């Protein structure tokens, strides 16, 4: 049956690909050599300004004189994958080659090291033209004043659709400053949380079709909880519910599950007013109601799969793959949930359900998602802006190629593909995930959610919030200054200076 489904899916995707290719043949991302040749020919005959923008929306073509463009990224395959390993890999190679030839540059990748980056900035040395790092890491670089406001970079047209489409969460933007961004060539789509469900369990229990619930805007916290409770089974009949039995929910990482569900509810962790003032927002009746609901949805040993003491997080993924959990919540990046693609039972992907403060689906863009930033020691911002813009423009067609490959190798149905294509439109985050790296009290405000919602469910959210709320709000005042680059470190107290000696 699985092979038959995959065969039908292959046929379907190929038909869609052919149709889409015909419909998008005029898209700038598919013109590569013709664009470059036409531009060069025009320069030879009519000698137009090298700054002229082609009619197809590509960035201006300019000879950058063999400039060496250095990228610091621990994922070298994002730039130089093995040729012929996939259509997507070939598209990446073609893009890099096109940018190098069109702009007369050489793109090189070095392994990223946060420690080496910090040392280089401190010494005033060039480290790289850009870095690509997990989003959470950039909070530390903002604190250290190591990265440029990307709005100040010449030739970088971040108002273009090929930037905006991939930067929907705006996590790294505050006070009209942009510290980092996603891009079509550093796509965060794989790091948007999604919910896998086991079709066999749905069928066994006669539960409603999750795809229909999503389509009809009936996929809610309450509906998911009901399904979780229905899925609970003492599989071996020993009268004890443990890791040998079946539950409603598992995840790739248990610290993350409560914050992902909290954001899916439509509530905020930190609220930012129009004037930029921040306020700790986990202090409302709806927020408390959400946390109490999360306790029910992620109650270990009841609705949530209880891994054994000492087991790694992959025990959760294994439980789903073995049919011991109805749902698995996590992002698809970094290979954490890859074992499910080989599971015997059919599965599908849907967004996280709607909570009590939203009428649309909201899926957390994990703080592990890749973000691009530009070091302050980069003295060639005009070249950097032009190269980044060219890379982004040229990469527009790559998401479709990549998603077609995912459909052929990982998915079981067309509905899952449509879910994945929609994820970036559902993507949300919260500045708390940056702030936690910059100010200790902000970290406490964020950590309260997993502490109360998952690890110690006997804690009462309102009283715990009351204990830390004032300190968090003071921390947020400091965070705002740090984000603006205006915070002045206090002078060390005399006793602290003596200790340092």
């Amino acid at each position: 049956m699985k092979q038959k489904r995959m065969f039908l899916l292959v046929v379907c995707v190929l038909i869609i690909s052919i149709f889409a290719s015909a419909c998008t043949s005029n898209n700038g991302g598919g013109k590569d050599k013709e664009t470059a040749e036409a531009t060069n020919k025009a320069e030879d005959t009519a000698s137009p300004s090298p700054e002229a923008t082609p009619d197809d929306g590509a960035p201006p073509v300019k000879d950058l004189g063999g400039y060496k463009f250095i990228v610091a990224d621990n994922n070298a395959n994002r730039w130089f994958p093995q040729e012929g390993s996939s259509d997507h890999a070939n598209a990446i190679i073609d893009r890099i080659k096109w940018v190098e030839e069109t702009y007369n540059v050489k793109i090189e990748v070095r392994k990223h090291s946060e420690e080496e980056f910090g040392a280089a900035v401190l010494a005033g040395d060039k480290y790289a033209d850009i870095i690509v790092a997990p989003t959470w890491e950039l909070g530390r670089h903002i604190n250290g004043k190591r990265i440029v406001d990307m709005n100040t970079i010449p030739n970088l047209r971040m108002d273009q659709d090929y930037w905006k489409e991939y930067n929907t969460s705006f996590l790294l933007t505050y006070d009209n400053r942009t510290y980092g961004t996603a891009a079509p060539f550093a796509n965060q789509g794989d790091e948007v949380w999604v919910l896998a469900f086991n079709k066999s369990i749905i069928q066994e229990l006669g539960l409603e079709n999750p795809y229909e619930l999503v389509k009809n805007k009936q996929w809610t916290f309450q509906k998911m909880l009901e399904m979780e409770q229905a899925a609970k089974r003492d599989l071996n009949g020993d009268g004890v519910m443990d890791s040998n039995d079946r539950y409603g929910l598992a995840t790739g990482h248990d610290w993350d599950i409560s914050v992902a569900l909290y954001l899916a509810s439509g509530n905020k962790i930190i609220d930012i007013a129009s004037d930029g003032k921040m306020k700790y927002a986990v202090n409302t009746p709806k927020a408390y109601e959400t946390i109490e609901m999360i306790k029910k949805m992620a109650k270990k040993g009841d609705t949530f799969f209880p891994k054994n003491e000492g087991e790694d997080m992959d025990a959760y993924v294994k439980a789903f793959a073995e049919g011991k959990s109805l749902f698995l919540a996590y992002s698809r990046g970094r290979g954490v949930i890859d074992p499910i693609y080989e599971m015997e039972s059919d599965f599908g992907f849907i967004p996280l359900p709607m909570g009590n403060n939203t009428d649309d689906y909201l899926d957390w863009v994990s703080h592990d998602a890749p973000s691009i930033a530009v070091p302050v020691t980069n003295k060639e911002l005009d070249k950097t802006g032009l190269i980044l813009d060219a890379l982004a423009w040229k990469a527009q067609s790559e998401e479709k190629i990549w998603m077609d490959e995912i459909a052929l190798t990982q998915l079981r149905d067309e509905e899952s593909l449509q879910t994945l294509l929609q994820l970036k439109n559902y993507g949300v985050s919260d500045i708390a995930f940056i702030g936690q790296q910059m100010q200790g009290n902000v970290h406490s405000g964020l950590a309260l959610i997993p502490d109360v919602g998952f690890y110690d469910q006997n804690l009462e959210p309102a009283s715990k919030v009351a204990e830390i709320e004032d300190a968090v709000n003071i921390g947020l005042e400091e965070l705002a200054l740090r984000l603006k680059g205006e915070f002045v470190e206090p002078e060390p107290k005399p006793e602290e200076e003596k200790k340092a000696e």
Side-chain angles (χ1 to χ4, degrees):
M1 285 296 290
K2 179 179 175 181
Q3 290 180 337
K4 183 177 180 181
R5 281 191 299 273
M6 288 303 296
F7 173 78
L8 293 174
L9 181 58
V10 170
V11 174
C12 179
V13 170
L14 287 175
I15 292 172
I16 292 171
S17 301
I18 293 169
F19 177 78
S21 176
C23 291
T24 60
S25 60
N26 289 325
N27 187 306
K31 288 194 170 183
D32 50 34
K33 290 187 177 179
E34 289 95 331
T35 299
E37 290 170 0
T39 304
N40 292 335
K41 184 177 180 181
E43 289 178 344
D44 292 340
T45 57
S47 298
S49 165
E51 299 292 330
T53 302
D55 292 338
D56 56 14
V61 173
K62 187 174 181 180
D63 187 336
L64 298 182
Y67 182 70
K68 185 185 293 185
F69 184 76
I70 300 174
V71 177
D73 188 353
N74 287 329
N75 181 2
N77 283 331
R78 205 188 324 267
W79 304 91
F80 298 106
Q82 182 179 350
E83 187 171 6
S85 57
S86 70
D87 288 343
H88 185 228
N90 291 341
I92 293 172
I93 292 168
D94 289 345
R95 166 168 49 87
I96 298 297
K97 183 178 180 181
W98 178 84
V99 172
E100 288 183 328
E101 292 178 350
T102 303
Y103 294 89
N104 190 13
V105 299
K106 179 65 176 175
I107 296 174
E108 296 185 0
V109 177
R110 62 169 292 178
K111 189 173 182 179
H112 174 55
S113 163
E114 182 181 352
E115 183 179 348
E116 291 178 15
F117 177 35
V121 171
L122 193 61
D125 298 333
K126 179 173 178 176
Y127 171 77
D129 290 276
I130 66 169
I131 66 170
V132 184
T135 303
W136 58 264
E137 183 186 306
L138 295 194
R140 299 209 281 257
H141 299 321
I142 298 169
N143 241 11
K145 299 181 180 179
R146 299 173 190 144
I147 51 181
V148 172
D149 174 5
M150 298 187 76
N151 295 322
T152 67
I153 298 176
N155 302 316
L156 185 59
R157 305 182 298 172
M158 293 190 68
D159 60 341
Q160 297 295 304
D161 288 344
Y162 51 82
W163 284 105
K164 293 192 295 184
E165 182 180 355
Y166 296 90
N167 194 36
T168 55
S169 72
F170 298 103
L171 171 61
L172 291 159
T173 294
Y174 177 76
D175 189 46
N176 296 318
R177 293 169 170 83
T178 298
Y179 310 99
T181 184
F185 58 88
N187 196 336
Q188 295 184 346
D190 288 354
E191 287 297 341
V192 180
W193 272 52
V194 68
L195 194 68
F197 68 93
N198 186 308
K199 293 182 184 179
S200 299
I201 298 176
I202 293 287
Q203 185 175 10
E204 171 202 329
L205 301 175
L207 300 175
E208 295 172 83
N209 184 337
Y211 291 133
E212 289 300 313
L213 290 171
V214 170
K215 179 181 177 181
N216 296 325
K217 291 294 184 76
Q218 295 174 338
W219 182 230
T220 63
F221 275 23
Q222 182 60 42
K223 184 65 69 175
M224 179 172 164
L225 176 61
E226 291 171 4
M227 288 186 168
E228 287 183 78
Q229 292 169 335
K232 184 178 177 181
R233 285 288 186 278
D234 179 6
L235 293 179
N236 59 8
D238 64 358
V240 178
M241 290 297 295
D242 55 24
S243 61
N244 296 308
D245 301 308
R246 191 175 75 191
Y247 299 84
L249 177 62
T251 186
H253 198 293
D254 50 27
W255 192 94
D256 292 340
I257 183 62
S258 51
V259 294
L261 287 171
Y262 183 88
L263 293 180
S265 74
N267 291 291
K268 296 181 181 296
I269 302 170
I270 296 173
D271 186 52
I272 305 177
S274 57
D275 62 358
K277 183 175 176 59
M278 300 184 196
K279 182 180 178 182
Y280 190 46
V282 190
N283 62 346
T284 67
K286 281 193 172 183
Y288 299 146
E289 178 185 300
T290 292
I291 294 174
E292 292 295 346
M293 186 62 162
I294 290 170
K295 289 182 180 183
K296 298 176 183 177
M297 298 170 74
K299 188 172 181 60
K300 190 163 53 175
D302 180 30
T303 52
F304 190 88
F305 179 82
K307 71 179 179 67
N308 296 318
E309 191 72 28
E311 285 187 312
D312 294 331
M313 298 292 175
D314 57 8
Y316 293 131
V317 179
K318 182 181 178 184
F320 179 80
E322 293 178 348
K324 293 180 181 178
S325 176
L326 171 57
F327 296 114
L328 176 71
Y330 205 56
S331 61
R332 297 174 300 109
R334 294 167 293 122
V336 173
I337 69 167
D338 283 3
I340 77 171
Y341 303 131
E342 303 300 324
M343 63 189 280
E344 186 66 28
S345 296
D346 259 358
F347 70 88
F349 281 131
I350 53 175
L352 295 180
M354 292 185 290
N356 62 352
N357 203 25
T358 179
D359 56 3
D360 207 349
Y361 303 109
L362 303 173
D363 292 88
W364 180 36
V365 183
S366 168
H367 55 186
D368 291 308
S371 288
I372 302 161
V374 177
V376 293
T377 49
N378 179 342
K379 304 304 181 185
E380 299 286 355
L381 295 182
D382 55 340
K383 293 183 176 69
T384 296
L386 189 58
I387 295 166
L388 279 176
D389 213 49
L391 286 165
W393 177 81
K394 182 63 176 171
Q396 292 177 82
S397 61
E398 291 174 19
E399 183 182 35
K400 184 183 183 308
I401 297 171
W402 175 229
M403 292 307 297
D404 282 352
E405 290 181 5
I406 287 174
L408 292 172
T409 60
Q410 297 179 352
L411 306 184
R412 306 287 178 87
D413 56 41
E414 177 67 18
E415 291 91 342
S416 286
L417 176 60
Q418 294 308 313
T419 294
L420 300 187
L421 289 171
Q422 283 292 324
L423 281 182
K424 65 176 179 284
N425 300 322
Y426 301 146
V428 293
S429 193
D430 194 286
I431 205 163
F433 297 101
I434 295 297
Q436 67 161 330
Q437 298 291 330
M438 301 176 67
Q439 213 287 332
N441 290 335
V442 177
H443 177 269
S444 298
L446 172 61
L448 177 140
I449 297 173
D451 287 346
V452 177
F454 183 81
Y455 292 115
D456 190 351
Q457 295 193 346
N458 292 320
L459 298 176
E460 198 275 318
S463 61
K464 297 306 294 183
V465 167
E467 289 178 11
I468 66 171
E469 183 176 7
D470 289 344
V472 174
N473 281 324
I474 291 171
L476 290 174
E477 293 177 7
E478 180 182 316
L479 175 61
L481 293 174
R482 288 182 177 275
L483 287 167
K484 294 176 183 179
E486 298 174 0
F487 182 75
V488 178
E489 296 288 348
E491 293 289 332
K493 296 178 182 179
E495 58 269 23
E496 292 175 346
E497 289 180 333
K498 288 181 179 180
K499 287 180 182 179
E501 294 173 358

